[in-house]
Amino acid sequence: MVAPVPLPLATVTPPPENPHWARHHVPVIAPLLVDTAWTRASLDEMLVPFGRFLDVDTLRGRLMDAITGAPYTVDIAVRVLLEAGYPGPPPRISIPRAPVVVRPWRFDVPRYATAAELAASLDVTLDELDWFADLQGRLRRAPTPLRHYRAVTIPKSAGAHRLLEIPKPRLREMQRRVLRRIVDRIEPHDAAHGFRRGRGVHTFADPHRQQDVVIRMDVRNFFPTITFARIRGVFAACGYPDAVAAVLAGICTTSLPVDEARPLPWREAADLRGRHLPQGAPTSPALANLVARGVDRRLAGLARARGLAYTRYADDLALSGPSSTDVRTVIGSVDRILRQEGFTPNAAKTRVRRSHRRQSMTGLVVNVSPQVPREEYDALRALLHNCRRTGAAAQNHDGVPDFRAYVLGRVAWVGESNDTRRRRLLALADEVDWAS
């Protein structure tokens, strides 16, 4: 064993004394020095656990400068450590920040570079913008008066129901501004017919008239499965910085409060508890069309490759073509594309109708041309005949507040696809005494 050599104090200036070093660290490290091989690698290995508290590189260098071999007693090790002095705290590792992503601006949208600019355009303060966006999810457990949405359940066919999440007035106005200024300026895919000006169920159904086979498929929980991340991606694609895109997505999405989700079926509740696109907000339909653009693009390509027609109305997909269509392969391909794009097909609503059967789409029959079924037209004509005979009030069995507007709305729906039917129904309506 090599005898210890005093530390050359003339050449190494010890740092100021540190009582914590002498009281806590020296008694622990000293016994370890006695049993450690006096090499750089061995000392590094022994000192690794102390790297959270000390600058071990500096300590190792001072020890190897002080003596040429390991101290053979703990007392010598203590003296060497005290003479070496406190080596200082561990060096701070500076982690560079991720570079700010500067995206090119796309579409004719207002260029909000900061959240402050967005807040000014929406006539709110930064604090109010943060409150409405609720990126921290604080309102999931907030009392009802503080929540931005009210949930309304409306019945559907076959005993099912639909949950509408309706924004309160101030948030709804903010969403309308976002819709007018940003979302409406981004064109969805041409196959999308729902929630678009100049389009509707008739334009959705028209490409499938007089086809040998019509395939209809449905997307399960269309709005709730469109997540916050996907909406943020829509705004980021416009060129908005990440912080602004996140706030815009926060304004347009929500998560159902815990107490309101608890009574729902677990699968539906799971979708609604996460941050999602609310069915009932003015921005949701147009944003859903933009998120589904990938589905539309791929299904339109599939349709072209197989000689089919393809259109989509919200969550309702339709493909049609000749009798030679390999229906099973087409349905499998659509199923796969939907899942790859983040949607889930509703297999229970898949329908295949050939030309010898009634081909119905969104309330219209398309075997010849898109129009309402004959029985619906006959029922409306009978209602108008009875109104003319007995008076309108006697036929208002459900107590509709504005019965005339209700009936004329049905006339407009039936007559949109058949001008002859429209003229006949309007002639009957003119003979009704709506005041009686």
Side-chain angles (χ1 to χ4, degrees), residues 295-362:
V295 170
D296 293 335
R297 177 178 53 81
R298 295 180 65 182
L299 291 185
L302 172 69
R304 283 194 302 270
R306 293 184 170 271
L308 306 175
Y310 164 70
T311 56
R312 179 181 61 81
Y313 190 93
D315 57 355
D316 199 350
L317 317 176
L319 297 102
S320 62
S323 58
S324 58
T325 301
D326 187 345
V327 173
R328 180 173 297 181
T329 301
V330 170
I331 291 176
S333 299
V334 174
D335 187 293
R336 184 178 64 257
I337 289 172
L338 283 173
R339 294 183 187 277
Q340 290 173 350
E341 292 292 329
F343 295 99
T344 303
N346 189 347
K349 292 189 176 181
T350 298
R351 299 286 185 271
V352 179
R353 293 291 182 266
R354 298 190 180 272
S355 57
H356 66 280
R357 302 180 63 185
R358 174 182 284 183
Q359 298 170 327
S360 298
M361 298 175 55
T362 57

Side-chain angles (χ1 to χ4, degrees), residues 234-318:
V234 169
F235 291 114
C238 297
Y240 291 108
D242 289 337
V244 178
V247 173
L248 285 167
I251 292 171
C252 299
T253 59
T254 187
S255 52
L256 191 66
V258 176
D259 59 314
E260 295 180 8
R262 193 173 293 118
L264 300 176
W266 70 268
R267 178 175 292 180
E268 183 181 358
D271 291 334
L272 292 169
R273 279 198 299 263
R275 194 92 190 206
H276 63 276
L277 203 59
Q279 190 169 2
T283 44
S284 294
L287 284 171
N289 275 341
L290 298 179
V291 171
R293 186 180 179 87
V295 170
D296 293 335
R297 177 178 53 81
R298 295 180 65 182
L299 291 185
L302 172 69
R304 283 194 302 270
R306 293 184 170 271
L308 306 175
Y310 164 70
T311 56
R312 179 181 61 81
Y313 190 93
D315 57 355
D316 199 350
L317 317 176

Side-chain angles (χ1 to χ4, degrees), residues 16-322:
E17 293 185 2
N18 186 298
H20 188 81
W21 157 255
R23 186 180 306 115
H24 296 283
H25 292 125
V26 169
V28 176
I29 298 174
L32 301 177
L33 290 180
V34 175
D35 299 325
T36 301
W38 210 250
T39 64
R40 179 189 182 97
S42 297
L43 285 171
D44 281 344
E45 184 178 356
M46 186 272 291
L47 292 171
V48 161
F50 302 96
R52 294 173 55 194
F53 315 104
L54 311 169
D55 183 353
V56 296
D57 287 340
T58 298
L59 180 59
R60 185 242 309 134
R62 291 179 181 176
L63 291 174
M64 295 190 75
D65 288 343
I67 54 177
T68 58
Y72 52 87
T73 67
V74 174
D75 290 340
I76 295 174
V78 168
R79 182 167 61 86
V80 171
L81 287 168
L82 291 174
E83 291 179 348
Y86 173 59
R92 298 183 63 180
I93 299 175
S94 177
I95 301 175
R97 292 186 177 181
V100 177
V101 178
V102 180
R103 302 184 181 93
W105 289 100
R106 301 174 61 197
F107 314 109
D108 184 24
V109 297
R111 301 184 177 186
Y112 306 129
T114 64
E117 293 178 9
L118 174 61
S121 74
L122 297 176
D123 292 330
V124 295
T125 66
L126 268 175
D127 288 341
E128 289 174 325
L129 186 68
D130 177 67
W131 170 249
F132 283 111
D134 190 31
L135 297 181
Q136 297 79 23
R138 294 166 294 198
L139 299 184
R140 290 188 69 246
R141 297 184 181 274
T144 302
L146 297 180
R147 296 173 185 173
H148 297 322
Y149 293 81
R150 58 185 182 90
V152 177
T153 302
I154 60 174
K156 294 169 59 177
S157 59
H161 67 277
R162 174 181 286 113
L163 181 71
L164 298 183
E165 296 168 285
I166 302 174
K168 293 181 180 178
R170 196 164 181 209
L171 177 59
R172 184 165 63 247
E173 179 56 31
M174 292 174 64
Q175 291 172 341
R176 284 174 176 160
R177 293 187 182 188
V178 171
L179 177 66
R180 290 193 305 268
R181 298 174 184 178
I182 301 176
V183 182
D184 277 348
R185 300 189 180 191
I186 310 171
E187 193 72 17
H189 193 277
D190 192 58
H193 288 259
F195 321 116
R196 297 184 64 182
R197 185 173 300 172
R199 298 195 180 190
V201 292
H202 288 82
T203 62
F204 163 68
D206 190 67
H208 307 287
R209 65 164 71 194
Q210 301 180 18
Q211 295 281 10
D212 293 330
V213 59
V214 175
I215 304 169
R216 287 184 54 201
M217 298 183 68
D218 186 83
V219 179
R220 184 183 68 82
N221 288 348
F222 183 54
F223 285 94
T225 53
I226 297 178
T227 62
F228 169 88
R230 303 181 78 174
I231 300 302
R232 181 180 57 194
V234 169
F235 291 114
C238 297
Y240 291 108
D242 289 337
V244 178
V247 173
L248 285 167
I251 292 171
C252 299
T253 59
T254 187
S255 52
L256 191 66
V258 176
D259 59 314
E260 295 180 8
R262 193 173 293 118
L264 300 176
W266 70 268
R267 178 175 292 180
E268 183 181 358
D271 291 334
L272 292 169
R273 279 198 299 263
R275 194 92 190 206
H276 63 276
L277 203 59
Q279 190 169 2
T283 44
S284 294
L287 284 171
N289 275 341
L290 298 179
V291 171
R293 186 180 179 87
V295 170
D296 293 335
R297 177 178 53 81
R298 295 180 65 182
L299 291 185
L302 172 69
R304 283 194 302 270
R306 293 184 170 271
L308 306 175
Y310 164 70
T311 56
R312 179 181 61 81
Y313 190 93
D315 57 355
D316 199 350
L317 317 176
L319 297 102
S320 62

